[in-house]
């Protein structure tokens, strides 16, 4: 008769887990968060390839070759070629640089501008609050895309004007979110204690108010990132963006829409890139928001 003896773990001594157990945990995490992991990998590729497109292609995005026009996707041309023989994959990579950079500029304008207005209106209140919020209400009553089109028409066409116009268009939402958070923070006991002790207003705002109010604004920025990319692509599609032969995702879709029936890869592959990028950002943002990490 055989007796198996299991040694009891010694308190305070870390017992290493078997490798297969660690592998199972990693596999379980990836399976449970499959779409989040996939979205993160795809978004990382988009950002890196947009910032450094030369790492993924050696082809000149502006070089035309009429003899190779409208070639279907292949090993040589992953996304095929456009109507003048330019490599479409290369154009999408370089177009991503312009589109994502414009989106980041728009978000920066909305984030910092909205933070400034929201902090002033929420902390000081009174006439400044009423004045700023009435202006915000007026801007919120106008559809964001229509407001952006109006602004870009007034200041001129191009990638930079599009970024500025969209940033101003979404700024009111950031201002209102910041104000609502500041109104909560300014009633906290430590803010009252700082005032009683004679701490300067600037110190209170930058050391206490902004750090405690910036969390929801950061969440909003991430949630709006996908919408901003879509807005930049839309304005570019409508012809408000960079002038040819410069590549932007929206202009690439616009250039290929005449070939939707005969050469569908020309408009569809850049469009699919935009959709997958926005979808990836949305999946990641919703996951982080649900877990409360932001």
């Amino acid at each position: 008769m055989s007796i198996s003896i299991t040694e009891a773990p010694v308190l305070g001594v870390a017992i290493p887990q078997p490798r297969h157990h660690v592998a199972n945990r990693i596999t379980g995490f990836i399976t449970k968060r499959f779409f989040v992991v996939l979205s993160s990998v795809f978004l990382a590729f988009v950002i890196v390839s947009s910032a450094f497109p030369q790492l993924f292609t050696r082809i000149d995005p502006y070089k035309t070759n009429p003899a190779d026009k409208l070639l279907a996707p292949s090993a040589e041309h992953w996304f095929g070629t456009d109507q003048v023989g330019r490599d479409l994959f290369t154009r999408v990579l370089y177009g991503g640089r312009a589109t994502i950079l414009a989106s980041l500029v728009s978000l920066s304008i909305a984030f910092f501008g909205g933070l400034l207005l929201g902090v002033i209106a929420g902390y000081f209140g009174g006439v400044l609050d009423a004045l700023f919020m009435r202006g915000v209400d007026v801007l919120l009553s106008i559809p964001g895309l229509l407001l952006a089109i109006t602004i870009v028409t007034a200041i001129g066409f191009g990638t930079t004007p599009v970024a500025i116009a969209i940033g101003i268009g979404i700024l009111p939402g950031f201002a209102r979110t910041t104000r609502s958070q500041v109104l909560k923070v300014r009633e906290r006991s430590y803010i009252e204690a700082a005032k009683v002790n004679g701490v300067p207003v600037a110190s209170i705002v930058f050391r206490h108010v902004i750090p405690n109010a910036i969390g929801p604004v950061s969440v909003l920025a991430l949630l709006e990132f996908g919408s901003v990319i879509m807005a930049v692509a839309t304005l570019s599609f409508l012809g408000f963006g960079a002038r040819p032969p410069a590549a932007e995702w929206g202009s690439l879709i616009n250039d290929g829409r005449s070939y939707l029936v005969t050469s569908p890869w020309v408009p569809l592959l850049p469009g699919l890139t935009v959709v997958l990028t926005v979808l990836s950002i949305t999946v990641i943002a919703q996951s982080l928001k649900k877990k409360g990490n932001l």
Side-chain angles (χ1 to χ4, degrees):
M1 180 177 177
S2 62
I3 300 176
S4 60
I5 300 176
T6 304
E7 294 183 359
V10 180
L11 294 178
V13 179
I15 300 178
Q17 297 179 344
R19 292 183 179 180
H20 66 83
H21 181 66
V22 176
N24 289 339
R25 291 186 62 182
I26 296 175
T27 304
F29 174 80
I30 294 177
T31 303
K32 186 182 297 184
R33 299 290 182 181
F34 175 74
F35 290 108
V36 176
V37 173
L38 188 63
S39 298
S40 301
V41 171
F42 179 78
L43 185 60
F45 170 75
V46 170
I47 292 175
V48 173
S49 63
S50 298
F52 308 102
Q54 62 275 9
L55 297 177
F56 300 91
T57 179
R58 299 294 182 183
I59 302 175
D60 186 349
Y62 305 109
K63 182 180 180 180
T64 61
N65 187 2
D68 293 336
K69 67 178 182 179
L70 300 177
L71 294 179
S74 62
E76 183 178 0
H77 302 285
W78 290 2
F79 282 12
T81 60
D82 63 9
Q83 63 275 17
V84 291
R86 293 173 297 196
D87 183 75
L88 194 56
F89 178 72
T90 302
R91 300 274 293 168
V92 168
L93 293 186
Y94 280 87
R97 170 189 285 179
T99 301
I100 291 179
L101 181 59
S103 301
L104 291 175
V105 171
S106 297
L107 271 181
S108 299
I109 292 172
F111 183 88
F112 292 107
L115 194 66
L116 176 63
L117 293 180
V119 168
I120 294 175
Y123 185 80
F124 295 101
V127 177
L128 287 175
D129 185 22
L131 181 63
F132 286 171
M133 287 304 103
R134 295 300 76 75
V136 166
D137 290 339
V138 171
L139 292 177
L140 285 174
S141 66
I142 306 173
L145 188 59
L146 179 60
L147 179 60
I149 291 176
T150 303
I151 295 172
V152 78
T153 302
I155 65 178
F157 295 178
T159 303
T160 301
V162 163
I164 295 173
I166 294 175
I168 296 174
I170 64 175
L171 187 149
F174 284 82
R176 183 167 288 280
T177 301
T178 303
R179 175 182 176 272
S180 66
Q181 294 301 312
V182 172
L183 288 176
K184 298 176 183 177
V185 172
R186 77 174 186 178
E187 302 299 330
R188 303 282 173 84
S189 57
Y190 57 84
I191 298 294
E192 295 298 329
K195 291 180 181 178
V196 171
N197 291 326
V199 178
V201 173
S203 180
I204 294 175
V205 169
F206 285 102
R207 293 182 59 185
H208 300 292
V209 176
I210 292 179
N212 287 284
I214 203 171
V217 186
S218 301
V219 174
L220 180 62
L222 185 55
L223 291 172
E224 287 286 342
F225 190 24
S227 300
V228 170
I229 290 178
M230 189 66 74
V232 170
T234 299
L235 290 183
S236 177
F237 176 84
L238 294 175
F240 294 104
R243 293 301 183 188
E248 288 182 345
W249 284 347
S251 62
L252 292 176
I253 300 171
N254 184 42
D255 292 342
R257 62 191 176 92
S258 301
Y259 306 93
L260 184 59
V261 176
T262 57
S263 304
W265 59 87
V266 179
L268 290 183
L269 290 178
L272 183 62
T273 302
V274 176
V275 171
L276 291 178
T277 301
V278 173
L279 183 61
S280 298
I281 294 172
T282 303
V283 169
I284 295 170
Q286 292 295 340
S287 175
L288 293 176
K289 183 180 179 182
K290 184 182 298 184
K291 292 178 64 177
N293 289 343
L294 286 178

